[in-house]
Amino acid sequence: MFTIDAHLDLSMNAMEWNRDIRQTVDTIRKRETGMTDKPDRAKGTVSLPQLREGNIGLVVATQIARYVAPDNPLPGWNSPEQAWAQTQAQVAWYKAMEEEGQMVQIHNLETLEAHLNVWNGSESNEKKPIGYILSLEGADSLVTVQHVERAYNYGLRAIGPAHYGPGRYAQGTDATGGLGTKGRELLNEMERLNIILDATHLCDDSFWEAMNHFHGAVWASHNNCRALVNHNRQFSDEQIKELIRRDAVIGGALDAWMMVPGWVRGKSTPESTNCNLEVMIDHLDHICQLAGNALHIGIGSDLDGAFGKEQCPYDLETIADLQKIPDLLSKRGYTDTDIQNVMHGNWLRFLRRVWSK
């Protein structure tokens, strides 16, 4: 079934992990055998061939570069200008993939419908480009609010104002506090340009301030439920209900620590915590129970977002295994229409609504 994944860090894997994701997952893993600089070496799950194998023809693909102040212990860049330059290297990689015919940027209704026609055609998936919608995860790299329009002009269509910790425009996971003047100015500019607000990673204070201030389109590309995993990274039922009220779509994430409670990094394993794809269905189903329908859920796997096989469902070998999800939904009683909506229909309805303005 045609599938949309609303959150993949493709350029980070290419530019910082130095993975040639034109190669198969197996080839990438073999090249990384014996490497220890990152915990997910030789355990990756994402590549362009595996996206095609899994009929995943459209993804929301990120730029990401955090600025860290002197007292911030998180990894990142020491100035916004350096962070901006890193995101421009990532854009250059996406453009290189476009020039080779590996990928194609989707940035408006016309390009979306044309791409869907390609993927609905009879030609083999091996010859089809992966469509990507460009999203910025964490806005720290926007040196000024005026940089938003510069980014829009090269195709940026969604922004998550924060990532982990404190940010220049909002506060993220494990942080507290609101947006402040700069954050509100960012949202104003996003609204003017019809850029989607990605609520993912906003801390509670920044989330509610953003919901009160921003009147444009909102989605959550990769989030799970706090009712099932009690951590500030997940959404509370009240936040989920607000997103439903805003006609948002929430993408279920496949990072094990977000899926199962009590995960201990470096010690827990997917097998020891019984973390399989069924667990993501638990999170998606919880959202459906709050909504009373299946119109606000999708897939936003976050696969290879600085983790690999060591920290994702044990029954997923590569991203192509997202095609196991329809059967899992069917066993829970979801209809064929519901399943199509989860795999692609809800994201498409959202994009058509936003881009038809």
Side-chain angles (χ1 to χ4, degrees), residues 199-230:
T200 304
H201 280 294
L202 288 173
C203 76
D204 289 7
D205 298 327
S206 288
F207 174 93
W208 288 111
E209 187 174 349
M211 293 303 105
N212 290 331
H213 188 85
F214 185 74
H215 304 290
V218 182
W219 69 22
S221 62
H222 58 302
N223 257 98
N224 291 342
C225 304
R226 195 174 298 180
L228 303 184
V229 176
N230 187 16

Side-chain angles (χ1 to χ4, degrees), residues 88 94 112 124 157 199 231 304:
Q88 300 316 288
Y94 285 120
L112 175 64
S124 167
R157 291 297 181 267
H231 189 279
D304 290 1

Side-chain angles (χ1 to χ4, degrees), residues 38-152:
K38 299 182 185 295
D40 61 329
R41 287 299 189 193
K43 299 168 188 169
T45 65
V46 177
S47 73
L48 298 180
Q50 268 56 66
L51 286 171
R52 296 186 181 99
E53 179 188 344
N55 210 30
I56 305 160
L58 180 60
V59 302
V60 179
T62 65
Q63 297 171 280
I64 181 169
R66 181 192 295 115
Y67 161 71
V68 291
D71 59 348
N72 188 338
L74 293 169
W77 301 97
N78 290 339
S79 72
E81 291 79 6
Q82 288 170 278
W84 170 261
Q86 175 66 13
T87 65
Q88 300 316 288
Q90 293 166 355
V91 170
W93 177 79
Y94 285 120
K95 295 301 182 184
M97 293 300 97
E98 288 189 67
E99 290 171 7
E100 195 177 281
Q102 296 278 354
M103 302 182 73
V104 60
Q105 189 181 77
I106 309 302
H107 55 86
N108 58 21
L109 203 55
E110 181 181 3
T111 54
L112 175 64
E113 301 298 352
H115 185 64
L116 293 176
N117 285 337
V118 169
W119 273 79
N120 287 329
S122 59
E123 190 176 46
S124 167
N125 282 3
E126 293 180 7
K127 299 180 181 179
K128 295 174 183 176
I130 301 298
Y132 76 99
I133 299 167
L134 193 60
S135 177
L136 180 63
E137 187 173 23
D140 287 358
S141 60
L142 297 170
V143 180
T144 69
V145 170
Q146 287 68 45
H147 281 67
V148 177
E149 186 165 7
R150 292 173 61 177
Y152 178 87

Side-chain angles (χ1 to χ4, degrees), residues 173-189:
T173 300
D174 292 332
T176 58
L179 303 174
T181 301
K182 287 181 64 175
R184 291 190 293 273
E185 289 175 352
L186 171 69
L187 294 185
N188 289 342
E189 185 69 351

Side-chain angles (χ1 to χ4, degrees), residues 185-201:
E185 289 175 352
L186 171 69
L187 294 185
N188 289 342
E189 185 69 351
M190 289 169 58
E191 191 171 328
R192 182 182 75 85
L193 294 167
N194 197 29
I195 292 176
I196 298 160
L197 168 62
D198 189 348
T200 304
H201 280 294

Side-chain angles (χ1 to χ4, degrees), residues 244 284-297 334 338 346 349:
I244 292 167
L284 295 181
D285 188 68
H286 184 79
I287 296 168
C288 291
Q289 301 311 313
L290 294 174
N293 56 55
L295 297 175
H296 299 279
I297 56 171
Y334 285 83
D338 292 335
N346 289 334
R349 187 186 67 255

